[in-house]
Amino acid sequence: MSLPARYVIEVRELIDGPLDDFGDAGQMWSEWAPHRIIGWGVPATAEPKTAGHDRVVVDLELYVPTTFPALSHRGQVRLGGAVYDVVGEPERCDGNPFGWNPGGTLNLRRVVG
């Protein structure tokens, strides 16, 4: 038994690209790839109550099935037209004592301004 993955999002990762003139590997984004997810939590925003401040930080939890790829902290998720950065490592439910793995949580953050 597994939870239904009804929604589709897109993910990409920062990968090593071709070598530059100094022999160092450059970095580039992979192509966006669609993946199914279970859902997401209510976004939490943080804005200081300071006059003239123009920055918004949005944190979001993404609920993913066991088949979701293990994105690293170098990954991004596109959800509803907004691009979020992956924060930390995926929080998986592997090894729980109940014999059933519902999936996991992926923490995301978007900073505007």
Side-chain angles (χ1 to χ4, degrees):
M1 181 174 136
S2 62
L3 297 173
R6 296 185 174 129
Y7 305 99
V8 177
I9 58 152
E10 295 177 292
V11 301
R12 69 178 181 178
E13 289 235 41
L14 194 60
I15 57 175
D16 291 333
L19 299 179
D20 62 15
D21 294 339
F22 301 103
D24 298 323
Q27 293 182 333
M28 57 191 284
W29 289 104
S30 66
E31 295 293 323
W32 287 105
H35 288 280
R36 297 192 77 73
I37 62 167
I38 298 166
W40 55 91
V42 176
T45 64
E47 304 87 26
K49 296 179 181 177
T50 306
H53 188 270
D54 189 25
R55 183 177 195 181
V56 176
V57 177
V58 181
D59 291 320
L60 183 73
E61 288 183 334
L62 198 66
Y63 308 128
V64 299
T66 56
T67 57
F68 195 81
L71 289 177
S72 72
H73 65 281
R74 295 169 45 145
Q76 288 186 329
V77 171
R78 187 161 51 191
L79 172 66
V83 176
Y84 294 84
D85 294 317
V86 174
V87 178
E89 296 292 322
E91 298 169 358
R92 301 249 183 212
C93 296
D94 301 330
N96 69 64
F98 307 109
W100 175 66
N101 187 349
T105 304
L106 190 63
N107 295 301
L108 306 176
R109 175 168 286 162
R110 180 170 60 101
V111 178
V112 179

